[in-house]
Amino acid sequence: LEILVTILNENDNSPVFAQPNITRDIPEDTKVGTAIVAREELSASDADLDTIYYELTTTVQEKDGYFAIRGVNNPEIYLQKALDYDKFNSTTLLLYARDRPVASPDPTNTATATITIIIKQSDTRAPWFLPCTRLHNDTSVCISSPYSGRINISEMSTDPLLLEPGPLYAVDPDYTINDRIVYSIVGGNTDEVFSVDADTGNLTMNKIVTSPDSFLLQVMVTQVSNIRKYSVATVEIKVINKSNFPPYFEKGVYNGTVFVGLPQRSFVYQAGDPSTPLMITAMDQDFPDV
């Protein structure tokens, strides 16, 4: 008697990842669509020879949508959305491998792989002059105000010029890179009156100024490792007459008279002379003719 026995494959094995824990370092400026982890590294095996179905999730909801897999049967992970180091610099992904489709009512065996993504800051932004204001809370743009200062006509100053709203100062906003900044004057420096320290940004005089004309300097900062990363700020230098004396009031006390019932913005009159408006005047010995 010949007996034929057929052994049926029972789904009694779970999928297995060759590498259940993977870490990848990627630059912040990685292009959308770039493969982050190859299919070969993520493919799971199944002793039952079942078709494997994959699903990718993230452990933090706010970081969802940046990474995805190519397909339900292709676990290659790629970048789906542009990265921003200032928003987050790492994330953890969970890749599930199942031997049945997600919606299948049949018993399913599952394996899990953990993928840790470390984001490295890239040199994506030009230097910022400080102080500056971020535009609409965008971390990639910071707008600075023009600088201004004053010098005395026909007088040489050897100290760094005092500027508003502060000294010339710029930084590399890609702070983990923190490239060295170099300063230079690229416009408005008539007769080379001024110079700027390449390292500190201190603005000093090379010679005296005999004309009351103002200067409108253009100061550029560049990164040492990449001169294409640069910014330009405007510095207005006004030339004024030297002031040796403070202004003073002609009188120590002024007396005036007002009348009841007058509307707003009515004149205050001199006490004892209700027909003459009260005038408060000051003088300055530096400007005797004014």
Side-chain angles (χ1 to χ4, degrees), residues 197-228:
D197 188 287
D199 295 317
T200 66
N202 286 336
L203 196 64
T204 55
M205 295 181 66
N206 297 323
K207 60 183 73 172
I208 63 173
V209 177
T210 57
S211 169
D213 297 333
S214 297
F215 293 83
L216 197 62
L217 305 177
Q218 302 292 320
V219 177
M220 181 172 70
V221 290
T222 60
Q223 294 180 200
V224 171
S225 65
N226 187 356
I227 61 174
R228 293 185 178 181

Side-chain angles (χ1 to χ4, degrees), residues 213-279:
D213 297 333
S214 297
F215 293 83
L216 197 62
L217 305 177
Q218 302 292 320
V219 177
M220 181 172 70
V221 290
T222 60
Q223 294 180 200
V224 171
S225 65
N226 187 356
I227 61 174
R228 293 185 178 181
K229 291 289 191 304
Y230 70 91
S231 296
V232 177
T234 300
V235 183
E236 182 182 17
I237 304 296
K238 295 182 178 180
V239 182
I240 63 173
N241 291 315
K242 184 176 181 180
S243 179
N244 295 311
F245 304 97
Y248 63 92
F249 289 103
E250 289 184 306
K251 296 180 182 180
V253 177
Y254 290 84
N255 296 309
T257 299
V258 295
F259 298 97
V260 176
L262 291 178
Q264 292 182 359
R265 301 184 181 276
S266 296
F267 285 119
V268 176
Y269 293 93
Q270 294 184 18
D273 187 359
S275 62
T276 303
L278 178 64
M279 301 290 291

Side-chain angles (χ1 to χ4, degrees), residues 8-9 14 16 21 23 30 68 73 90 101 136 149 152 204 221 234 236 239 241 247 251 266 280:
L8 300 178
N9 189 14
S14 296
V16 176
N21 293 283
T23 299
T30 300
N73 299 122
S90 67
H136 307 306
N152 294 323
T204 55
V221 290
T234 300
E236 182 182 17
V239 182
N241 291 315
K251 296 180 182 180
S266 296
I280 299 176

